[in-house]
Every structure is written in C-alpha cells, then in structure tokens.
C-alpha cells in the first residue's frame, strides 16, 4: 500500500517537472525581457507620445471592434446553440476559419473588401475617409481574426443554459424577447463576458492582418515591429515591455470583473 | 374543460399514440404509469412545447389552443426538474411571473404576499433558489405557476424525490388547490400517490393511454394485467371459464370454481395473496391444491411475501410470526391451496 503511494508520487513528480518546463518556456522570454529593460529606457518609452498614442489606439480599436461585433456575434452564438439547421456544421467551420488561416493572408483578404474600389470602401469614401490606413480598417482586421473567440465562448455559454428554463419562462407568459433578455442572457453572461475579453485581448495582440490593412496609424504591435526593424532590439524592447504590461493589466482587471460579476449573480 | 383529441407525437424512438383525455373543470386528474411511459411528454405536449411536431387537437374551455404558442395557452406547467431561475431569488422568481400579468406595482406586491402566505414562503423570499430543499422548490414552483394565473395546472411528478414530511405538506397544498376549484392534471409513477389525490386517473404505458377510471374502480376492477400490477395487485390473471365450475388460468392451471359464466368465456381474476395457504405436506382434503416451488421470499408491509411457481407464478403473503423460516426456503417444494373465497372474478367492460 505504502509502496504504491510512493510510486504515484514519483510519477506525479515527473508530470510536474515536464509541465514546469513548459511553463518556464512561456515565462523565460518574458522575464528575460523585463530584466533586460532598464528603468530609464522604460521611462523614456512611457514619455514617448508615439508609444502612448499607439497603446491608446490599440486598446480603443480592439475594444471598439469587440463591442461593434458583439451586436451580431451574440445573436449568432444563440442561434448556433439553440437551433438545428442544414449546413450548421459548415457554419461552425466557417466561424473557426480565421483562427487557422495565416493572418497576413487574412489581411490581404480584408484589404480586398475595404479598398476604395469595394462597396464598404466607397461607402466610407462618401463619409469622407478611407478605410485603408484608418482606425476603422484596423478594427475590421482585428475583428476578423478575433471573432471566433467571442462566438464560440458565447455559444457554449448559451448551450449551458437549460432549454427547460426558457420553456418555463414562456409557460409563465413571457415573450421570446423577454425570455432572452431576462433569463437566457443573464445566465449565459459569464461565458459571454469571457468571450468578449478573449476577443478584446486577441484583437489587441493582432499584427499580421493589421499591418497589411494599416501600417499607419500605428497600433503598438506594428510600432514594435517598426522600431525593431529601424533601430534594433534595444529600442523595440521597452515598448514591448510596456505593451505587455498594459495587456496583462487589462486582462487581469477584466477577469476580476467576470469573477466579481458571477459571484454577484450567484449570491 | 381540457380536451385532448387524438394527440400523437413522435420523438426519436418514442411515440405518443392517439391520446384522448377529457378533464372537467375543477377535476383532479392523475396520469399514472411507469417511467418511460410518456407521461411527461404528454404533459409537455398539452402545454405546447411540441406544438410543431404533434398532431391532434387540444381544447381548453372549448377554445382550440392546438396552434397557440406556449405562452398563450393559459396552462401552467410545473416541470419535473427544478426550473426555478437560478440567477433570481425566490421573490424575483415569483415576481417574474406576476409582472408579466400585472403592470401595477401594488398588485404585484399584494399577490406576492398572498402567494407567499399560501405556500409558507415568507421566510424564503430572499433566499437564493439554489439553496432550497426539494419540498421548498416545489412550493416556490407552485406559487410561481399560480402567479401566471393559469386556467389549469399540469404537475409533473411534483412529489418525487421529496422527504415524507414535506410530501405530506405538499399533498395538503395540492388538495387545498383542488378544493379551491382549480383544475389539476398530475403525473406520477406512484399508484398510492394517484389514489390519494385523484378524482379520476388514467394509466399510461408505452406512449398509450390504457384505461381511465376512478382510483377505486381502477383498483377493484383493473382492466388488464399491466394496470393490476401497477395498482399493486400481485395475482391478476386472465382465465377461461368451463361448464360453470372450472377456470383454466392462462392455459396453465385448472381451478375448480363455481361460476355463472358461459363456457369458454374469458374473464380476469384476482387472487388475494393473503388468503392462499401453503404447507410442506400435501393436504389430505380440499380442492385446488397444486404442487409448487418457492422462487423468492421478501419482506412486505403485510408480512413475508413468498413467490411460488405452480405453473403460474403466484404471490402468497404470510404472517411473519405464524410461519417459521424453514418453510420459506428458496427452491423448496411445497403444496399450495387456493380457497374459493380467495378468488375474485372481474368482468371488465372494455
């Protein structure tokens, strides 16, 4: 009996060790980068208008893309969770497509539909701006690559809400709209919020699609790339460190919000 | 009055077939049957969940509601599983239904107070519904359903999985609702539950409605073996009469019994398990004595129940104190006597 337990412990040690190596693989480059950034260089980057503007632009465009797309993505997720229809599997596959195609290729594809010759491009032209090289174009690129995270999370959230509860609400006399907003949505909200955060985070970190649609105005991932190309590692690194810090901060804050919110819903 | 005509519904491998039910206003109607017989699906079909998949018609107070959606049927359905909204408190759950019917805050308040008094929920109103016991859940579900002011309520196994004290309390609530004039259709797999509550009951099996009767008639004149078993009868058989003095039970054993039946006519019989005798030695006198083998012995509320194979399987109930254990060994060969007074003939009109 005693021997058996020790064997398990030995095996678990191996598991922990191998898992630990993978964690180290993720952490090491990040920690290394933080260690090699001097406070002076960080402070200098923080006072650089180009850096702070790009961070602000990255946050707002990604947030904007997430919120605008949520208006359609959440209903789509609900339909996918609740309804059976022909070609449903195809639609599911389509939604995951942006995850598997190279993002530079996605950028080229997006460029095709937002260029001045395209219908959306002409519409933007009438309103007095060009989608290419504009924050709106950046939002389109960000949304394209990050939408699957929101749709899939929201779909899973809706699927977890028992249909019985919707039937019960209807049986009490509630209209479909009332059932959706007062029962289904609040119960799936935690997953949806998680999806929104993941979409926002994924949008912020996008480089490949955005750099093709809009090199300027620069979002931070593009700025980091440009500084690395033009001035080298030591110039790019402080910007990268600050941006990672900002991303982590937002990520942690929003995660805490989800936890707080779900605790509130439960109590 | 609720009237279900020729309702059929296919769901995967399961089908409801040609269901016809009439429930009068103010009646307590129980749909009984074993698990998987289709009772819950029938209830949900009446409530309108399978509106697009079912055929047949449903009338409520002479209005055809077959094509009306769930929310417009005025039928309150209490599902078998807990359908309290988990993100709302007890109060909010009831208010959800009240606000759909009442726009005036004062009305909502008054009705909430009345319902929470009626179902003893005053102390539970602020509670998170995920912390309620089975009995409490059912009481909140009842209150919430009544808050929607239905013309009739459908209850799916409302007493299942609830401890006996809470069950008695709930039964009192249900009887009180019945006395107040509410029409109730109640689904259960438990005959005693049906017997204690129903004005009339129907037994379902494999998606069909077998028989509808008062609980007393169901018990005293079970229409077939399945219903007899469901009502708790141990020894229900089909028999054929011969020459006014013989019964040929299930073509297997012959019973000497005076009767006034026409020869070769079919009849159902019930043999009272408490009036059958058995012993180790063959009785020297008497008729209807059969050799048999003990198949099983177990405890029952009336004493020890002994299952014996005499060509047919019959149950005998013996007083625990009057017989010794050695006479009840499994596989033991014994002699069974079925006295005339143990047999009851049932002529079923069907």
């Amino acid at each position: 009996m005693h021997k058996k337990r020790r064997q398990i412990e030995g095996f678990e040690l191996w598991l922990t060790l191998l898992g630990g190596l993978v964690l180290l693989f993720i952490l090491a480059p990040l920690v290394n980068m933080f260690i090699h950034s001097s406070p002076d260089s960080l402070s200098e980057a923080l006072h650089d208008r180009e850096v702070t503007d790009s961070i602000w632009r990255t946050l707002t465009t990604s947030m904007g893309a997430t919120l605008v797309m949520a208006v359609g993505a959440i209903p789509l997720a609900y339909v996918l969770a609740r309804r059976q229809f022909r070609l449903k599997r195809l639609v599911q596959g389509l939604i995951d497509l942006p995850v598997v195609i190279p993002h530079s290729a996605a950028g080229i594809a997006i460029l095709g539909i937002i260029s001045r010759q395209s219908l959306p491009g002409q519409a933007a032209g009438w309103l007095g701006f060009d989608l290419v090289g504009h924050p709106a174009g950046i939002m389109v690129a960000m949304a394209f690559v990050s939408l699957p995270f929101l749709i899939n999370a929201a779909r899973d959230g809706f699927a977890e809400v028992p249909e019985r509860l919707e039937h019960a609400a209807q049986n009490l006399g509630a209209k479909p709209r009332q059932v959706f907003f007062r029962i289904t949505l609040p119960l799936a909200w935690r997953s949806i919020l998680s999806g929104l955060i993941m979409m926002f985070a994924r949008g912020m970190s996008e480089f490949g699609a955005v750099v093709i649609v809009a090199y300027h105005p620069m979002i931070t991932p593009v700025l980091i790339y440009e500084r690395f190309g033009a001035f080298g590692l030591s110039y790019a690194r402080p910007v990268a460190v600050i941006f990672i810090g900002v991303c982590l901060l937002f990520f942690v804050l929003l995660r805490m919000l989800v936890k707080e919110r779900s605790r509130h819903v439960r109590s | 009055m609720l009237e279900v005509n020729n309702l059929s519904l296919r769901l995967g491998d399961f089908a409801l077939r040609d269901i016809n039910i009439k429930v009068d206003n103010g009646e307590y109607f129980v749909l009984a049957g074993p698990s998987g017989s289709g009772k819950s699906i029938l209830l949900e079909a009446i409530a309108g969940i399978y509106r697009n998949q079912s055929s047949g018609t449903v009338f409520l107070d002479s209005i055809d509601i077959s094509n009306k959606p769930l929310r417009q049927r005025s039928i309150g359905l209490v599902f078998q599983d807990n359908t309290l909204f988990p993100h709302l408190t007890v109060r909010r759950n009831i208010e959800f239904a009240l606000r759909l019917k009442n726009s005036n805050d004062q009305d909502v308040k008054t009705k909430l107070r009345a319902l929470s008094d009626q179902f003893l929920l005053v102390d539970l109103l602020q509670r998170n519904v995920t912390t309620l016991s089975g009995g409490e859940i059912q009481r909140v579900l009842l209150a919430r359903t009544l808050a929607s002011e239905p013309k009739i309520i459908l209850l799916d196994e409302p007493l299942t999985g609830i401890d006996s004290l809470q069950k008695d309390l709930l039964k009192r609530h249900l009887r009180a609702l019945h006395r107040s004039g509410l029409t109730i259709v109640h689904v259960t797999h438990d005959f005693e539950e049906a017997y204690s509550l129903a004005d009339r009951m129907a037994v379902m099996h494999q998606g069909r409605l077998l028989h509808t009767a008062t609980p007393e008639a169901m018990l005293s004149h079970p229409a077939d073996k399945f219903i007899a078993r469901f009502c708790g009868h141990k020894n229900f058989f089909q028999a054929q009469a011969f020459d006014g003095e013989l019964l040929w039970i299930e073509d297997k054993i012959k019973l000497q019994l005076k009767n006034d039946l026409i020869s070769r006519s079919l009849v159902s019989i019930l043999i009272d398990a408490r009036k059958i005798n058995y012993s180790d030695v063959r009785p020297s006198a008497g008729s209807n004595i059969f050799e048999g083998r003990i198949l099983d012995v177990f405890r029952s509320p009336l004493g020890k129940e002994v299952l014996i194979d005499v060509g047919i399987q019959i149950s005998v109930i013996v007083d625990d104190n009057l017989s010794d254990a050695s006479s009840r060994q499994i596989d033991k060969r014994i002699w069974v006597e079925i006295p005339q007074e143990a047999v009851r003939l049932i002529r079923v009109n069907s």
Side-chain angles (χ1 to χ4, degrees):
Chain A
M1 187 72 191
H2 189 64
K3 202 178 166 191
K4 197 175 170 188
R5 196 154 123 203
R6 272 186 38 185
Q7 269 179 355
I8 290 172
E9 277 177 3
F11 179 61
E12 281 186 354
L13 197 70
W14 272 108
L15 292 180
T16 314
L17 206 70
L18 289 170
L21 279 174
V22 171
L23 278 181
L24 195 66
F25 173 71
I26 297 173
L27 271 176
L30 296 176
V31 172
N32 177 60
M33 193 166 65
F34 276 82
I35 291 170
H36 283 90
S37 305
S38 67
D40 286 347
S41 68
L42 288 179
S43 159
E44 195 183 324
L46 266 176
H47 289 94
D48 183 342
R49 268 304 283 274
E50 202 180 13
V51 174
T52 50
D53 281 356
S54 81
I55 290 177
W56 183 243
R57 188 174 300 120
T58 313
L59 290 173
T60 49
T61 46
S62 183
M63 183 66 80
T66 305
L67 294 179
V68 169
M69 282 297 154
V71 175
I74 291 171
L76 174 62
Y78 180 75
V79 171
L80 287 173
R82 278 289 182 266
R83 306 272 174 266
Q84 297 303 323
F85 52 88
R86 274 174 49 173
L87 306 180
K88 182 171 173 181
R89 287 170 64 100
L90 190 76
V91 173
Q92 298 267 23
L94 204 67
I95 287 163
D96 289 332
L97 208 57
V99 178
V100 294
I101 60 173
H103 288 182
S104 50
I108 299 289
I110 292 162
L111 202 55
I113 61 147
I114 64 169
S115 67
R116 236 170 282 177
Q117 289 78 39
S118 70
L119 215 62
Q122 285 173 2
W126 287 325
L127 294 171
F129 67 96
D130 187 357
L131 277 172
V132 180
H134 188 274
I138 296 175
M139 281 165 63
V140 173
M142 282 177 168
F144 185 85
V145 296
S146 58
L147 252 177
F149 293 92
L150 171 59
I151 297 174
N152 289 335
R155 183 200 58 213
D156 294 348
F158 283 128
E160 274 171 30
V161 178
E163 218 172 341
R164 277 284 157 92
L165 294 181
E166 295 177 350
H167 285 151
Q170 286 171 36
N171 181 253
L172 295 170
K175 297 185 178 95
R177 178 174 44 85
Q178 291 168 314
V179 176
F180 182 79
F181 283 108
R182 296 179 58 188
I183 305 299
T184 318
L185 200 59
L187 286 172
W189 187 240
R190 194 182 174 190
S191 299
I192 295 171
L193 209 57
S194 264
L196 288 168
I197 292 169
M198 286 309 293
M199 181 174 171
F200 169 63
R202 184 65 198 80
M204 267 197 312
S205 58
E206 180 53 22
F207 169 75
V210 174
V211 78
I212 287 180
V213 171
Y215 198 86
H216 288 284
M218 269 189 207
I219 58 164
T220 316
V222 177
L223 181 71
I224 293 167
Y225 175 72
E226 197 216 35
R227 293 218 164 167
F228 176 67
F231 309 108
L233 187 60
S234 56
Y235 271 86
R237 192 187 283 136
V239 186
V241 168
I242 289 165
F243 187 57
I244 290 172
V246 170
C247 289
L248 282 178
L249 189 71
F250 263 82
F251 197 66
V252 169
L253 276 178
L254 288 169
R255 278 269 158 205
M256 278 165 64
L257 189 78
V258 173
K259 261 208 173 122
E260 189 62 27
R261 166 108 205 167
S262 65
R263 199 172 58 81
H264 176 73
V265 165
R266 273 203 303 275
S267 61
Chain B
M1 188 169 81
L2 174 74
E3 206 179 327
V4 178
N5 302 313
N6 306 104
L7 187 116
S8 293
L9 168 66
R10 176 167 279 285
L11 290 173
D13 290 340
F14 183 81
L16 285 181
R17 288 169 232 261
D18 211 21
I19 305 280
N20 290 284
I21 302 175
K22 275 192 183 122
V23 182
D24 285 328
N25 282 341
E27 190 175 23
Y28 201 122
F29 189 86
V30 172
L31 272 170
S35 314
S37 57
K39 312 175 299 281
S40 299
I41 291 175
L42 173 56
L43 224 50
E44 289 170 7
I46 294 172
I49 290 181
Y50 307 110
R51 176 166 63 112
N52 299 321
Q53 291 134 284
S54 59
S55 62
T57 54
V58 181
F59 283 82
L60 187 62
D61 291 341
S62 307
I63 299 165
D64 186 354
I65 56 167
S66 316
N67 293 315
K68 285 196 176 175
L70 204 54
R71 68 188 153 89
Q72 287 175 353
R73 292 201 170 196
S74 297
I75 293 179
L77 171 61
V78 178
F79 288 90
Q80 184 174 3
D81 5 327
N82 175 4
T83 53
L84 291 175
F85 306 129
H87 60 305
L88 304 177
T89 58
V90 169
R91 170 198 290 271
R92 297 269 178 225
N93 261 278
I94 300 170
E95 279 179 352
F96 178 88
L98 285 172
R99 288 195 191 283
L100 292 169
K101 291 279 166 190
N102 306 276
S103 47
N104 183 329
D105 273 359
Q106 193 53 46
D107 289 350
V108 170
K109 225 175 187 173
T110 315
K111 286 175 181 173
L112 176 71
R113 194 174 307 135
L115 284 167
S116 37
D117 283 344
Q118 185 180 356
F119 292 100
L120 313 175
L121 299 174
V122 178
D123 296 334
L124 300 180
L125 284 177
Q126 303 308 329
R127 284 267 290 277
N128 179 338
V129 296
T130 54
T131 64
L132 301 177
S133 73
E136 290 167 341
I137 288 170
Q138 284 300 329
R139 269 152 48 209
V140 181
L141 282 171
L142 272 176
R144 190 181 71 176
T145 302
L146 290 175
S148 70
E149 297 168 19
K151 289 180 184 165
I152 168 173
I153 59 170
L154 313 178
L155 309 172
D156 194 354
E157 301 272 10
L159 304 176
T160 302
I162 290 171
D163 66 69
S164 54
L165 284 176
Q166 287 276 337
K167 203 181 268 192
D168 289 344
L169 175 63
L170 260 174
K171 278 188 180 177
R172 282 217 308 275
H173 282 302
L174 295 178
R175 286 194 202 95
L177 284 176
H178 177 36
R179 279 194 300 274
S180 75
L182 189 67
T183 313
I184 302 174
V185 179
H186 172 140
V187 152
T188 179
H189 64 275
D190 181 346
F191 177 74
E192 281 177 33
E193 189 178 309
Y195 196 84
S196 67
L197 290 164
D199 290 328
R200 269 190 320 137
M201 62 181 289
V203 175
M204 278 192 83
H205 184 46
Q206 294 178 341
R208 289 176 198 277
L209 213 62
L210 297 182
H211 190 57
T212 307
T214 63
E216 294 87 349
M218 195 69 84
L219 187 64
S220 60
H221 290 78
D224 64 22
K225 190 161 192 153
F226 177 81
I227 293 175
R229 284 277 148 128
F230 184 74
C231 296
H233 292 304
K234 305 289 179 188
N235 302 316
F236 179 95
F237 305 103
Q238 301 291 337
Q240 203 173 10
F242 282 99
D243 304 330
E245 58 180 25
L246 275 181
L247 280 179
W248 192 236
I249 301 176
E250 303 202 333
D251 292 335
K252 290 195 179 111
I253 70 167
K254 208 159 48 178
L255 211 57
Q256 205 102 50
L257 194 74
K258 290 257 178 281
N259 62 68
D260 55 359
L261 297 166
I262 303 160
S263 203
R264 295 198 169 274
S265 63
L266 290 172
V267 66
S268 300
I269 64 168
L270 272 173
I271 305 175
D272 190 335
R274 286 163 303 180
K275 293 181 180 161
I276 303 171
N277 310 310
Y278 77 89
S279 66
D280 298 352
V281 289
R282 188 191 169 109
S284 52
S287 55
N288 298 327
I289 293 164
F290 306 94
E291 190 182 6
R293 186 170 63 90
I294 294 180
L295 296 176
D296 200 4
V297 180
F298 48 92
R299 208 182 297 120
S300 84
L302 299 168
K304 277 277 187 302
E305 187 170 332
V306 186
L307 186 66
I308 304 171
D309 181 5
V310 291
I312 55 172
Q313 286 182 14
I314 60 169
S315 286
V316 179
I317 291 172
V318 292
D319 191 327
D320 227 354
N321 303 319
L322 296 181
S323 64
D324 66 289
S326 68
S327 68
R328 301 192 298 258
Q329 281 163 1
I330 305 254
D331 274 338
K332 188 176 172 127
R333 293 256 150 214
I334 40 106
W335 294 90
V336 174
E337 185 195 1
I338 303 176
Q340 170 122 15
E341 67 269 19
V343 182
R344 183 148 56 94
L345 299 181
I346 303 168
R347 261 155 279 190
V348 180
N349 309 315
S350 58

